[in-house]
């Protein structure tokens, strides 16, 4: 039994690690190293958005006011709650409460799916309002302001990239939930839940940064 875990909960040591503690530290370090590189990618996109706001305030404000603030705000709450349910799943796994853990994981996946549904609806409204400058068949509503086109394209790159990470996270979570529901899972792979939890919290963090930068700061006074 590992420290801080209930009886019957633990990690099966892989053959290339000397101890379970070494294995846990290596996997944690590995996921953190990867998440930091992903965070740098998003940070670059958000930095460009802020620079664009400084250089072309009127154009970016005009573009940002077409974004659906209520959807962005609702999705922020959805992801915050999903981080709570994911944290609950981690705690339940440490306590050995397998059924409660599985339910919390399913709730997390459901909330992530709700986020994607709302985001899809927002994209549909954008399409209806001619706010997709990359579609030649539908003239861009703010075609007379090139910086606005750049901001909107940047918005799509950032949100689609985040959506891809979220979709991947949901798929992985559902697969892990299927495995986690089997007897003996927590005795061998409890650390999978904790490692995956870091990825889900990363998805939440990226959106917490995206919402104020894209929806709030650029809306202007």
């Amino acid at each position: 039994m590992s420290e801080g875990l209930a009886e019957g909960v633990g990690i099966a040591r892989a053959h290339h690690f000397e101890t379970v503690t070494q294995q846990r530290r290596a996997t944690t370090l590995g996921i953190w190293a990867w998440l930091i590189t992903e965070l740098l990618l998003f940070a670059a996109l958000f930095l460009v958005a802020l620079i664009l706001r400084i250089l072309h305030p009127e154009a970016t404000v005009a573009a940002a006011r077409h974004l659906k603030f209520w959807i962005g705000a609702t999705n922020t709450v959805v992801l915050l709650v999903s981080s709570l349910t994911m944290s609950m799943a981690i705690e339940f796994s440490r306590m050995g409460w397998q059924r409660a853990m599985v339910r919390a994981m399913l709730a997390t996946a459901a909330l992530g799916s709700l986020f994607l549904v709302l985001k899809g609806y927002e994209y549909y409204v954008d399409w209806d309002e001619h706010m997709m400058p990359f579609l030649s068949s539908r003239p861009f509503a703010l075609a007379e302001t090139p910086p606005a086109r750049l901001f909107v394209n940047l918005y799509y790159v950032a949100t689609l990239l985040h959506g891809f990470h979220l979709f991947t996270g949901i798929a992985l979570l559902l697969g892990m939930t299927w495995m986690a529901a089997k007897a003996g899972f927590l005795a061998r792979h409890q650390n999978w839940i904790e490692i995956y939890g870091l990825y889900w919290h990363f998805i939440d963090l990226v959106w917490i940064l995206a919402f104020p930068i894209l929806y709030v700061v650029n809306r202007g006074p």
Side-chain angles (χ1 to χ4, degrees):
M1 181 179 68
S2 301
E3 184 179 354
L5 301 180
E7 185 176 357
V9 177
I11 305 170
R13 181 179 64 85
H15 66 88
H16 51 281
F17 292 105
E18 294 182 357
T19 64
V20 168
T21 299
Q22 182 190 52
Q23 179 175 338
R24 180 186 289 273
R25 290 176 178 174
T27 52
T28 301
L29 178 62
I31 189 66
W32 271 114
W34 179 69
L35 292 179
I36 289 174
T37 62
E38 292 294 289
L39 186 59
L40 289 174
L41 172 62
F42 282 100
L45 295 174
F46 297 150
L47 180 60
V48 173
L50 291 174
I51 293 174
L52 191 62
R53 173 68 169 87
I54 295 172
L55 296 178
H56 305 281
E58 294 183 0
T60 52
V61 167
R65 285 179 176 170
H66 278 267
L67 303 183
K68 302 302 173 282
F69 180 86
W70 72 269
I71 296 180
T74 301
N75 269 342
T76 301
V77 175
V78 168
L79 278 191
L80 286 174
V81 176
S82 75
S83 272
L84 173 61
T85 56
M86 191 65 230
S87 296
M88 292 170 61
I90 294 172
E91 289 302 317
F92 291 148
S93 73
R94 293 171 178 169
M95 299 165 66
W97 296 2
Q98 186 172 7
R99 182 174 297 180
M101 175 195 69
V102 168
R103 290 176 178 174
M105 293 169 71
L106 289 175
T108 303
L111 289 166
S113 300
L114 176 60
F115 179 101
L116 292 180
V117 169
L118 289 172
K119 196 63 193 168
Y121 173 72
E122 185 177 10
Y123 285 156
Y124 168 75
V125 175
D126 291 338
W127 175 85
D128 189 57
E129 295 181 356
H130 291 254
M131 286 300 293
M132 291 185 169
F134 46 84
L135 295 180
S136 58
S137 60
R138 297 181 68 82
F140 182 46
L142 301 176
E144 70 282 359
T145 53
R149 179 187 296 269
L150 176 59
F151 174 80
V152 174
N153 281 327
L154 185 66
Y155 156 79
Y156 278 112
V157 171
T159 56
L160 284 171
L161 187 60
H162 174 265
F164 173 76
H165 280 77
L166 180 56
F167 178 81
T168 303
I170 294 170
L172 291 173
L173 181 57
L174 290 175
M176 189 180 300
T177 302
W178 178 74
M179 292 186 292
K182 298 180 178 180
F185 176 87
L186 286 179
R188 297 178 56 83
H189 304 299
Q190 185 276 333
N191 64 320
W192 289 10
I193 308 300
E194 299 200 18
I195 294 301
Y196 177 81
L198 292 175
Y199 176 73
W200 192 269
H201 294 322
F202 160 77
I203 296 174
D204 188 12
L205 173 62
V206 169
W207 185 257
I208 289 175
L209 294 174
F211 175 64
I213 293 173
L214 298 176
Y215 288 81
V216 180
V217 174
N218 288 309
R219 293 181 72 86

